[in-house]
């Protein structure tokens, strides 16, 4: 097992690819920490008057800490809504609620309703500061129509196991919610709002981060049914009723016209920034680096095969080691009964494809420090990993059944960082040495 210390990363051992990759992983997380970005943004904006603060997502706590430091006595009240284990000491006058992720729980509903309750007390001259990061879709919820908590849990489990990309999952989540897709902004209006977003969405479509509570989103019946059909999901009667209500607007129904000046939205951090920092750091270390993509978005197992094949081809032609960087958000299609995450499955698939080869390493990292429903941030594998797994369990069966956590634990290939306080998707660090070399610079 590898431990990733992102708080004070020390210089790597340049004779160890593992040490180099862990060091660069720590640098990627450091570059993505949202506190400084929130501070810089708020100092530029210079908000005046009373502020009500809503901070939602896996990075909600450090974002709120930074906002509280800048705005100080302006903050009248508000709420921090984050994942279990991701909050710190109290920040009066803000309330803190920890809730379920990736599937909502009772606290998700408690948090969502508390947000609406605080909005009901707003005065027109107040400003609502909304801080959003990945994970907010399950952490804050007010169900649409007649839906109950058990309905939301069931639907989230269906969507997460369907193999659908997060953009499609969030489109259905918006349908099922009164808070998402601009639902919150209708409660804030006519007060003003500012939304600062740490993006974990490929392409930085900000309406999809935490399912866009402050960005109005029209429900498209064609798009909704396309998702249901593509992933073989059947809407029940409750959902059919919600679709009808949200897509067939009543005559003379008008939504409040929202002035962008009064309701501004800013992206303060994303995957591209993290990859740029890693690229610069690699060059400082004298490591040749190639940027591949920030939009990796296929099945995790297929991504592992793809990166392994790239590594094998490059190893034949290289004269010096090469670091290839990519990132995005892959998917794992399963029934939810197995333990693992997309980074672990990608790494396990990769390890099978390069089994027995020397000089090839892959570190696949969830920047929030939690890959799927596990305490691992990801995994670091090489040509010996698959063989080590085979000593304890049937590696092929584990890969087929999506038991990547169990398999990689046997190989001592898991990477543990603890909650990082940020979330900008996943990053893959691929180290390739010339064929037959051990990877030493």
């Amino acid at each position: 097992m590898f431990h990733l210390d992102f708080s004070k990363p020390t210089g790597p051992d340049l004779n160890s690819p593992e040490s180099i990759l862990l060091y660069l992983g720590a640098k990627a997380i450091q570059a993505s920490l949202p506190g400084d970005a929130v501070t810089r943004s708020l100092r530029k904006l210079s908000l005046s008057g009373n502020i009500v603060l809503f901070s939602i997502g896996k990075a909600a706590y450090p974002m709120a800490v930074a906002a509280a430091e800048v705005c100080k006595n302006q903050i009248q009240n508000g709420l921090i809504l984050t994942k279990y284990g991701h909050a710190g000491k109290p920040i009066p006058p803000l309330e803190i609620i920890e809730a379920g992720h990736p599937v909502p729980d009772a606290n998700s509903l408690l948090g969502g309703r508390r947000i609406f309750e605080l909005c009901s007390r707003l005065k027109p001259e107040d400003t609502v500061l909304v801080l959003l990061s990945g994970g907010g879709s399950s952490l804050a919820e007010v169900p649409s129509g007649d839906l109950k908590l058990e309905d939301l849990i069931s639907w989230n489990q269906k969507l997460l196991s369907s193999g659908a990309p997060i953009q499609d999952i969030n489109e259905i989540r918006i349908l099922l919610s009164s808070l998402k897709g601009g639902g919150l902004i209708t409660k804030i209006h006519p007060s003003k709002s500012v939304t600062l977003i740490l993006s974990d969405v490929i392409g930085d479509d900000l309406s999809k981060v935490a399912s866009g509570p402050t960005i109005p989103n029209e429900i498209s019946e064609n798009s909704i049914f396309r998702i249901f059909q593509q992933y073989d999901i059947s809407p029940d009667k409750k959902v059919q009723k919600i679709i009808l209500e949200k897509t067939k607007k009543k005559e003379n129904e008008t939504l409040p016209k929202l002035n962008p000046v009064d309701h501004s939205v800013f992206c303060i951090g994303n995957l591209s920034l993290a990859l740029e920092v890693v690229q610069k750091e690699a060059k400082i270390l004298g490591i040749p680096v190639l940027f591949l993509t920030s939009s990796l978005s296929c099945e995790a197992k297929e991504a592992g095969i793809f990166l392994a094949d790239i590594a094998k081809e490059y190893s034949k032609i290289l004269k010096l080691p090469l670091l290839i960087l990519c990132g995005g958000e892959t998917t794992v299609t399963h029934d939810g009964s197995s333990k693992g995450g997309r980074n672990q499955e990608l790494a396990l698939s990769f390890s099978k494809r390069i089994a027995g080869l020397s000089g090839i390493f892959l570190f696949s990292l969830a920047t929030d420090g939690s890959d799927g429903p596990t305490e691992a941030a990801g995994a670091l594998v090489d040509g010996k990993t698959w063989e080590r797994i085979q000593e304890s369990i049937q590696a092929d069966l584990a890969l087929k059944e999506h038991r990547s956590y169990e398999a990689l634990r046997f190989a001592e290939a898991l990477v543990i960082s603890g909650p990082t306080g940020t979330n900008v998707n996943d990053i893959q660090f691929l180290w390739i040495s010339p064929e037959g070399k051990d990877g030493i610079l």
Side-chain angles (χ1 to χ4, degrees):
M1 186 176 295
F2 299 94
H3 291 276
L4 178 65
D5 182 4
F6 61 88
S7 58
K8 294 180 180 179
T10 56
D13 177 359
L14 293 180
N15 288 321
S16 167
E18 293 102 326
S19 176
I20 293 169
L21 297 181
L22 289 169
Y23 173 76
L24 294 175
K27 285 294 185 178
I29 292 172
Q30 276 193 331
S32 307
L33 294 177
D36 289 345
V38 169
T39 299
R40 288 193 300 270
S41 297
L42 290 177
R43 284 177 176 164
K44 289 179 182 178
L45 291 168
S46 299
L47 302 181
S48 60
N50 292 333
I51 294 173
V52 176
L53 173 64
F54 299 134
S55 193
I56 307 167
K58 294 180 186 177
Y61 184 80
M63 293 177 81
V65 169
E69 178 63 29
V70 175
C71 298
K72 294 181 178 170
N73 296 331
Q74 289 180 264
I75 298 176
Q76 300 303 297
N77 55 39
L79 176 66
I80 300 170
L81 192 48
T82 193
K83 183 178 178 179
Y84 292 109
H86 282 53
K89 62 183 181 181
I91 312 175
L94 301 175
E95 303 171 44
I96 299 176
I97 296 177
E98 295 181 314
H101 180 275
V103 176
D105 63 4
N107 274 4
S108 305
L109 272 64
L110 175 65
R113 288 169 178 155
R114 182 61 177 146
I115 288 172
F116 276 11
E117 181 183 348
L118 291 171
C119 285
S120 70
R121 304 178 190 176
L122 289 171
K123 299 175 182 177
E125 62 270 22
D126 290 339
T127 296
V128 178
L129 175 59
V130 183
L131 309 176
L132 297 178
S133 55
S137 294
S138 70
L139 296 168
E141 190 55 277
V142 179
S144 292
D146 300 326
L147 295 179
K148 307 294 184 186
L149 174 60
E150 52 267 30
D151 297 312
L152 293 179
I153 291 174
S154 175
W155 274 103
N156 272 271
Q157 289 173 335
K158 286 179 186 177
L159 292 165
L160 290 168
S161 63
S162 69
I166 192 63
Q167 292 88 342
D168 285 351
I169 290 174
N170 282 353
E171 190 155 351
I172 302 298
R173 281 170 163 169
I174 289 170
L175 172 73
L176 306 180
S177 176
S178 297
L179 184 146
K180 299 173 173 58
L184 175 56
I185 206 72
T186 63
K187 301 295 182 181
I188 292 173
H189 190 78
S191 301
K192 295 181 180 181
S193 72
V194 173
T195 302
L196 304 182
I197 297 178
L198 182 67
S199 174
D200 70 331
V201 173
I202 293 174
D204 295 329
D205 181 351
L206 301 184
S207 69
K208 297 297 188 291
V209 180
S211 299
T214 59
I215 301 178
N217 183 70
E218 289 188 10
I219 299 295
S220 165
E221 187 173 3
N222 289 338
S223 179
I224 292 296
F225 280 109
R226 188 270 304 167
I227 296 170
F228 285 141
Q229 184 176 17
Q230 184 172 345
Y231 301 102
D232 196 24
I233 304 172
S234 299
D236 56 27
K237 289 184 179 180
K238 287 183 180 180
V239 173
Q240 289 175 4
K241 181 180 178 183
I242 292 169
I243 295 172
L244 184 64
E245 290 174 349
K246 288 197 171 185
T247 58
K248 308 296 184 184
K249 295 180 181 179
K250 298 177 182 178
E251 288 187 13
N252 301 322
E253 179 183 2
T254 57
L255 295 174
K257 291 184 179 180
L258 304 178
N259 187 337
V261 175
D262 294 335
H263 300 285
S264 52
V265 179
F266 303 95
C267 179
I268 62 170
N270 55 25
L271 176 61
S272 296
L273 174 61
L275 288 170
E276 286 173 13
V277 169
V278 172
Q279 212 168 355
K280 290 177 182 177
E281 192 66 31
K283 289 181 179 179
I284 291 172
L285 295 174
I287 300 169
V289 59
L290 172 65
F291 170 70
L292 186 61
T293 181
S294 60
S295 303
L296 193 65
S297 59
C298 57
E299 278 287 327
K301 193 178 298 184
E302 297 302 318
I305 294 171
F306 169 67
L307 292 177
D309 287 346
I310 287 177
K312 288 192 289 186
E313 288 299 320
Y314 266 98
S315 70
K316 297 174 184 177
I317 60 174
L318 289 176
K319 294 183 179 180
L320 292 172
L322 175 67
L323 175 70
I324 295 181
L325 298 178
C326 65
E329 185 166 331
T330 59
T331 56
V332 178
T333 305
H334 63 99
D335 62 6
S337 62
S338 304
K339 188 174 182 180
R342 54 185 181 257
N343 289 279
Q344 293 165 65
E345 179 146 324
L346 189 158
L348 182 58
S349 174
F350 179 92
S351 72
K352 177 182 179 180
R353 198 76 164 184
I354 60 141
L357 299 180
S358 63
I360 297 176
F361 299 78
L362 176 74
F363 177 20
S364 192
L365 168 69
T367 54
D368 63 2
S370 179
D371 184 36
T374 77
E375 80 281 10
L380 202 169
V381 299
D382 62 14
K384 299 176 183 177
T385 303
W386 190 258
E387 182 181 346
R388 289 196 293 268
I389 296 169
Q390 294 277 46
E391 294 173 358
S392 302
I393 61 172
Q394 296 181 49
D396 276 305
L397 186 60
L399 180 58
K400 180 181 178 181
E401 296 179 347
H402 310 289
R403 292 185 285 116
S404 55
Y405 176 87
E406 176 189 4
L408 293 165
R409 180 168 56 84
F410 278 119
E412 298 185 343
L414 295 172
V415 177
I416 307 295
S417 68
T420 64
T422 190
N423 186 17
V424 291
N425 289 125
D426 304 330
I427 299 178
Q428 286 75 41
F429 306 81
L430 176 56
W431 178 278
I432 312 165
S433 293
E435 191 172 36
K437 302 293 183 180
D438 60 7
I440 296 175
L441 285 175

